[in-house]
């Protein structure tokens, strides 16, 4: 006679068994499951009766799994763990129109977020979620559709789309240098001002580091009026707009701020940076219409910026 496919004990008894087998205590299992100790004990007894074998050896103030109990525990623990992880994944499943994008906090705050109204007008069906971090995330594992990554071209994966490069130069609020006593016309005039620093390891020795700039400007021994240090680029730029000092700006990230005269470049000196920004799509999401639409929109925004900067 063929065994019935669903010849199983009541599945609602298994969580109590798994908790009791893992903790070897009906009392601790009851606390985990928000049940009474007697309720857990009854569920275990019912399970044993349905299976026709003992699962625990009940000793004075102690429990021990029988051989049958150990066999059932191994399978039950694995199945319940897989079930919990699957349910958690399904619970996090984004809605069909959701597009998750990761990029650096600086690019998100200064370049991407200010222009999202244009994305919404063009693609109202896209529900955007921004995960801003300096970490390079595994897109598939983190369930992220698109990354806008900062790095050298050689480090980008196949299929990465070039977005824009960068130039760096000193910037400040127009109000900061309006007074004659605060003029900033030559590199030596930096001694009148507070310098805003970005503190992260790869900045040192690069064009994002004031020491590099002061050496290139011929004033390596300059003593500024003070210094402020920041761990996030957007924080430093907001401090510069507030007139708190001179920052090292990066275009096109601050291009609109310069066009709006919220920031000005007081010294006619720029440096082309070796790193650039690239769009990378997750292998699981590359074919999604919203990913393709978002990538095309990003490229259109870059072209728009280039046109504005080239205009007289």
């Amino acid at each position: 006679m063929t065994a019935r496919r669903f010849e199983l004990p009541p599945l609602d008894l298994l969580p109590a068994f798994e908790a009791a087998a893992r903790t070897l205590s009906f009392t601790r299992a009851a606390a985990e499951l928000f049940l009474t100790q007697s309720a857990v004990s009854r569920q275990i007894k019912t399970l044993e009766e349905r299976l026709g074998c003992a699962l625990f050896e009940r000793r004075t103030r102690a429990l021990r799994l029988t051989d049958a109990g150990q066999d059932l525990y191994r399978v039950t623990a694995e199945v319940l763990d897989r079930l919990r992880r699957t349910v958690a994944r399904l619970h996090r499943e984004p809605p069909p129109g959701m597009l998750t994008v990761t990029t650096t906090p600086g690019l998100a705050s200064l370049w991407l977020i200010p222009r999202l109204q244009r994305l919404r007008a063009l693609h109202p069906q896209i529900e955007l979620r921004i995960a801003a971090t300096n970490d390079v995330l595994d897109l598939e594992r983190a369930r992220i559709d698109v990354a806008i990554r900062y790095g050298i071209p050689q480090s980008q994966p196949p299929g990465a789309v070039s977005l824009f490069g960068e130039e760096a130069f000193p910037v400040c609020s127009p109000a900061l240098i309006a007074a004659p006593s605060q003029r900033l016309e030559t590199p030596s005039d930096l001694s009148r001002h507070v310098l805003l620093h970005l503190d992260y390891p790869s900045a040192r020795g690069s064009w994002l580091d004031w020491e590099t700039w002061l050496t290139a400007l011929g004033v390596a021994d300059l003593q500024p009026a003070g210094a402020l240090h920041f761990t996030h680029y957007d924080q430093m730029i907001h401090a510069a707009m507030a007139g708190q000092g001179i920052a090292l700006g990066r275009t096109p990230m601050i291009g609109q701020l310069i066009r709006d005269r919220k920031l000005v470049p007081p010294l006619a000196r720029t440096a082309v940076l070796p790193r650039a920004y690239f769009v990378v799509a997750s292998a699981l999401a590359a074919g999604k219409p919203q990913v393709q639409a978002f990538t095309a929109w990003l490229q259109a925004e870059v072209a728009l910026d280039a046109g504005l900067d080239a205009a007289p």
Side-chain angles (χ1 to χ4, degrees):
M1 180 177 178
T2 303
R4 289 185 299 168
R5 182 180 178 187
F6 297 107
E7 199 170 281
L8 295 171
L11 298 183
D12 59 344
L13 302 178
L14 295 181
F17 166 71
E18 186 276 336
R22 174 167 38 82
T23 62
L24 292 178
S25 168
F26 289 167
T27 301
R28 288 196 291 272
E32 280 190 17
L33 300 172
F34 299 100
L35 298 173
T36 64
Q37 189 270 351
S38 59
V40 169
S41 181
R42 285 196 301 271
Q43 289 190 26
I44 299 300
K45 184 176 181 181
T46 301
L47 183 60
E48 289 175 325
E49 291 173 349
R50 294 295 296 267
L51 294 173
C53 61
L55 300 173
F56 293 93
E57 291 181 10
R58 293 159 174 82
R59 302 179 178 182
T60 304
R61 296 185 179 180
L63 286 177
R64 182 177 181 275
L65 284 167
T66 64
D67 290 343
Q70 291 177 7
D71 288 343
L72 183 62
Y73 173 63
R74 280 193 293 269
V75 175
T76 301
E78 178 184 353
V79 169
L80 289 179
D81 180 63
R82 292 178 62 184
L83 184 61
R84 291 187 188 105
R85 286 188 282 114
T86 299
V87 169
R89 177 178 59 80
L90 293 176
H91 183 69
R92 295 193 304 267
E93 196 75 38
M98 174 74 77
L99 180 70
T100 301
V101 177
T102 184
T103 191
T104 64
L107 188 73
S109 175
L110 298 171
W111 191 88
L112 181 59
I113 293 174
R115 58 191 71 212
L116 289 183
Q117 187 174 357
R118 293 201 288 269
L119 175 66
R120 289 286 302 155
L122 192 61
H123 299 289
Q125 77 283 4
I126 294 179
E127 184 177 344
L128 193 66
R129 174 178 174 266
I130 298 175
T133 176
N134 286 318
D135 297 332
V136 178
L137 302 177
D138 183 302
L139 301 186
E140 286 74 28
R141 182 174 299 175
R143 303 181 65 78
I144 290 173
D145 299 303
V146 177
I148 305 175
R149 286 185 173 160
Y150 179 64
I152 59 174
Q154 299 89 332
S155 69
Q156 304 309 311
V161 176
S162 177
L163 201 55
F164 48 66
E166 284 191 310
E167 291 185 0
F169 45 86
V171 294
C172 65
S173 164
L176 183 67
I177 54 176
S181 61
Q182 296 296 105
R183 71 179 186 274
L184 181 50
E185 299 171 352
T186 67
S188 60
D189 291 334
L190 288 168
S191 62
R192 308 170 188 269
H193 296 279
V194 173
L195 300 186
L196 309 181
H197 297 262
L198 182 63
D199 287 346
Y200 70 97
S202 61
R204 188 164 182 81
S206 74
W207 289 110
L208 301 178
D209 173 49
W210 270 112
E211 183 178 349
T212 301
W213 270 96
L214 295 176
T215 300
L217 292 171
V219 288
D221 58 348
L222 180 138
Q223 295 298 316
L228 290 174
H229 294 258
F230 301 87
T231 57
H232 287 87
Y233 183 75
D234 55 323
Q235 296 172 348
M236 182 181 71
I237 293 300
H238 283 296
M241 287 192 291
Q244 296 180 17
I246 314 295
L248 292 172
R250 296 151 68 183
T251 58
M253 200 182 303
I254 61 167
Q256 190 60 51
L257 298 176
I258 292 175
R259 289 189 289 271
D260 293 341
R261 295 286 296 174
K262 294 180 179 178
L263 290 173
V264 294
L267 300 174
R269 185 70 180 265
T270 64
V272 176
L273 303 183
R275 298 187 178 192
Y277 285 87
F278 299 83
V279 183
V280 179
S282 161
L284 300 177
K288 291 183 178 180
Q290 61 264 39
V291 170
Q292 297 170 357
F294 180 72
T295 301
W297 174 78
L298 287 174
Q299 293 174 303
E301 288 293 314
V302 172
L304 176 63
D305 282 356
L308 292 173
D309 290 334

